[in-house]
Amino acid sequence: MATAQRGGTPRGARRGPLGRVRAAAAVILGRTAGATLRRLRLGGGTSLPGLIATTIDPDLASYLGAQLRHGSAVVTGTNGKTTTSGLLAAVLRDAGLRVWHNREGANLLRGITASLMMRAGSTGRLRARGAAVAVFEVDEEAFGLVVPRLHPRVIVVNNLFRDQLDRYGEVDLVAERWRTILANVPTSTVLALNADDPTVAALADGLPLEAVYFGVEDPGASTPSRDASGEVIDTRTCPRCHATLEYSRRFYSHVGHWSCPACGFARPQPAFRALAVEARDLDAMSFRLETPEGAATVTLGLPGLYNVYNALAAAAAGARMGATLDATRTAIERFTPVFGRAERISVDGREVRILLAKNPTGLNEVLRALAGGSLTGDAPVTRHLLLMLNDRAADGEDVSWIWDADYERVAGLARSLVVSGNRAPDLAVRMKYAGVLGAPVPIGAAAGPGAGSNGASANGGPTAGDLPITVEPRVGPALDAALANVAAGETLYVVPTYTAMLAIRGELERRGYAPRYWENLDR
């Protein structure tokens, strides 16, 4: 694993003549590969070109990253990386900076390299003489490869939940790897950390780095007692002494106001805080943002308390990179959902909203938001749902996590239900045990509205335990079956895992309803 000396220059940043020639060759060949892929409509050219370039020049990211006049910010964590990095890019843009951002979502080293390479010329130098700031979302595992190469000005860590255990391991192992990397970053690097996640808050413990914390103060945002039984708790012990943590307030999973009764380690006081949090169905979250500069009431056009944390993270990091409170407020207010994260797509008079959910905690929060918002006592509404489960490499091949997620909510939430993905049968079985189905689920070709997937009518009306359902592993037919349930003016809510999200959005792209995700990138 690459490491960097504290306060030093990133490896490969300084070049002699031969090194500069190698960088130029890597950029030319990588950009050519990307342009060819896009021209042939084989993808956005967001990863393969970077792989080609790093094969030629393994330290190209260091070389290009060192040319950034305003440095870079790295955003990592289990959930919310894409939204937080998008929000941070918007904040910095409203602060008057040119921002380069891997908004296409390629967040491994090759993707970071490709993102920089797309902003470079044939000489191997960044355009505009590097007069920009870069914002990169970074995969949890790739964090150890990217950070030593970039020496970012700010590192944002949103949260740490159980996710893709076959790839990452348990949360304690991930945290330990992150701490090893952070122990070697320059002392000029600032950490923006979630005070309400004990594992994340402890990352700065004992390190000579400045840490700025963000968190939620509103007691009304706490998880209602009626919801507590469905919570997935991924961290239960103190990061210092491993005694069981106590909570005075819990928002979701292990996120809340925590303390250790044994050693006294406790939630740090956040400098960036959310109060008066109000959910407006799935359209927006309103809250009072308090910062060292002042306070402002902001409305974020995204659902769920988890997106309030994303906005707080962007506010904290943006402030440390020179953004004013006014720039932060306007950026948050104007922000629109990014690719697959509560994104709205119009389909023949109906609306499709895609809400990515790739682990138990993320899924629970999406379902809670769909049920009418966790922050109100209103009776839950009902929704047209398309649930999708894949087990490809980018999802994690172990789908046993669906048994930990609170799918029991679906019984009272779904007005119509289609399940899809290459593990649709497993998800259908989970629905049965969640009380959604009163009879075995037929598997086969999709049928029309209100029918089982073998063409036979499902059992009765949409009541808990007896909900009409279609089970269709194929993406196109599943989308057709789900849309057949949705009248003009209504909304279909798609809740996919990561590669299923790519597949459903790809289907909408092919049908002409959505732009290709690599279009209109910042340059």
Side-chain angles (χ1 to χ4, degrees):
M1 181 176 292
T3 59
Q5 292 302 311
R6 188 177 295 281
T9 301
R11 188 184 77 181
R14 294 174 179 169
R15 298 291 178 95
L18 288 178
R20 292 194 292 271
V21 169
R22 183 184 301 114
V27 167
I28 291 169
L29 290 175
R31 286 179 61 90
T32 300
T36 301
L37 288 171
R38 289 189 290 273
R39 191 174 300 116
L40 296 175
R41 297 197 171 188
L42 297 176
T46 58
S47 290
L48 182 60
L51 181 61
I52 292 171
T54 53
T55 300
I56 298 168
D57 185 347
D59 291 318
L60 182 62
S62 297
Y63 179 63
L64 296 176
Q67 298 173 31
L68 288 163
R69 193 175 304 175
H70 300 288
S72 62
V74 161
V75 179
T76 196
T78 308
N79 295 334
K81 294 184 291 292
T82 302
T83 298
T84 300
S85 60
L87 281 161
L88 178 55
V91 167
L92 296 176
R93 199 173 288 116
D94 274 25
L97 294 171
R98 175 189 281 114
V99 181
W100 291 335
H101 169 216
N102 63 333
R103 57 176 287 185
E104 60 275 11
N107 58 16
L108 302 179
L109 176 61
R110 57 180 178 264
I112 307 302
T113 302
S115 184
L116 286 166
M117 186 180 63
M118 287 192 294
R119 281 88 179 181
S122 58
T123 62
R125 303 291 298 180
L126 291 177
R127 294 197 311 273
R129 297 183 179 180
V133 62
V135 177
F136 296 118
E137 71 157 281
V138 176
D139 172 83
E140 300 93 298
E141 186 68 18
F143 184 78
L145 297 174
V146 172
V147 167
R149 285 173 165 83
L150 293 183
H151 281 193
R153 287 173 59 189
V154 175
I155 295 173
V156 182
V157 186
N158 257 3
N159 47 58
L160 182 54
F161 299 115
R162 177 164 39 115
D163 186 49
Q164 298 188 49
L165 293 179
D166 52 341
R167 180 169 171 240
Y168 299 130
E170 290 288 353
V171 293
D172 291 344
L173 296 176
V174 177
E176 189 57 38
R177 287 196 293 268
W178 287 351
R179 282 185 58 82
T180 300
I181 296 302
L182 294 176
N184 290 287
V185 302
T187 53
S188 58
T189 299
V190 176
L191 304 182
L193 304 176
N194 187 345
D196 296 344
D197 185 321
T199 305
V200 171
L203 289 174
D205 194 25
L207 296 181
L209 300 174
E210 179 186 355
V212 57
Y213 293 96
F214 56 90
V216 172
E217 295 290 347
D218 185 3
S222 300
T223 302
S225 58
R226 58 186 165 82
D227 292 339
S229 61
E231 285 297 318
V232 176
I233 311 298
D234 291 331
T235 295
R236 298 179 182 273
T237 60
C238 174
R240 278 186 182 171
C241 72
H242 306 295
T244 300
L245 291 172
E246 294 180 348
Y247 282 80
S248 61
R249 189 173 300 161
R250 191 190 297 274
F251 299 122
Y252 59 88
S253 187
H254 55 263
V255 174
H257 294 188
W258 51 273
S259 63
C260 176
C263 72
F265 190 42
R267 170 187 184 259
Q269 182 61 36
F272 293 79
R273 303 178 295 276
L275 293 91
V277 181
E278 179 185 351
R280 300 180 182 176
D281 194 37
L282 289 175
D283 294 324
M285 297 293 291
S286 173
F287 63 97
R288 180 174 175 79
L289 171 63
E290 293 193 350
T291 77
E293 184 184 345
T297 297
V298 298
T299 299
L300 172 67
L302 292 170
L305 186 63
Y306 57 96
N307 277 313
V308 173
Y309 277 102
N310 295 337
L312 287 171
R320 297 302 297 140
M321 301 183 80
T324 64
L325 175 60
D326 189 56
T328 299
R329 180 189 59 79
T330 56
I332 291 174
E333 298 245 331
R334 288 203 296 257
F335 186 77
T336 55
V338 293
F339 176 71
R341 280 77 173 179
E343 183 181 22
R344 302 170 184 262
I345 299 172
S346 180
V347 178
D348 300 331
R350 296 158 292 183
E351 187 172 81
V352 173
R353 295 198 69 178
I354 305 174
L355 299 104
L356 174 68
K358 59 191 181 69
N359 51 53
T361 296
L363 179 69
N364 285 356
E365 289 310 295
V366 166
L367 291 178
R368 181 172 291 143
L370 284 168
S374 63
L375 311 184
T376 69
D378 298 340
V381 295
T382 57
R383 317 272 189 184
H384 297 290
L385 299 180
L386 169 55
L387 306 181
M388 305 182 70
L389 177 66
N390 278 1
D391 65 349
R392 307 193 191 285
D395 304 293
E397 296 175 1
D398 181 357
V399 298
S400 62
W401 63 267
I402 66 174
W403 294 94
D404 295 325
D406 190 16
Y407 277 111
E408 280 67 20
R409 285 183 177 272
V410 175
L413 171 62
R415 186 183 313 174
S416 66
L417 178 61
V418 176
V419 296
S420 186
N422 70 324
R423 297 297 291 268
D426 300 76
L427 190 52
V429 172
R430 179 67 182 94
M431 292 300 102
K432 175 177 173 58
Y433 281 91
V436 179
L437 296 174
V441 185
I443 305 297
S453 59
N454 63 354
S457 175
N459 298 329
T463 59
D466 201 14
L467 179 73
I469 183 172
T470 299
V471 182
E472 174 50 77
R474 298 171 296 172
V475 175
L479 178 60
D480 290 334
L483 287 172
N485 295 319
V486 183
E490 292 186 332
T491 301
L492 171 66
Y493 297 90
V494 184
V495 184
T497 54
Y498 182 72
T499 65
M501 182 268 287
L502 298 179
I504 192 69
R505 203 181 183 285
E507 182 67 23
L508 291 165
E509 290 170 12
R510 284 188 290 275
R511 298 185 186 192
Y513 296 117
R516 293 186 291 271
Y517 67 88
W518 62 86
E519 293 178 344
N520 302 318
L521 301 184
D522 43 75
R523 295 294 177 186

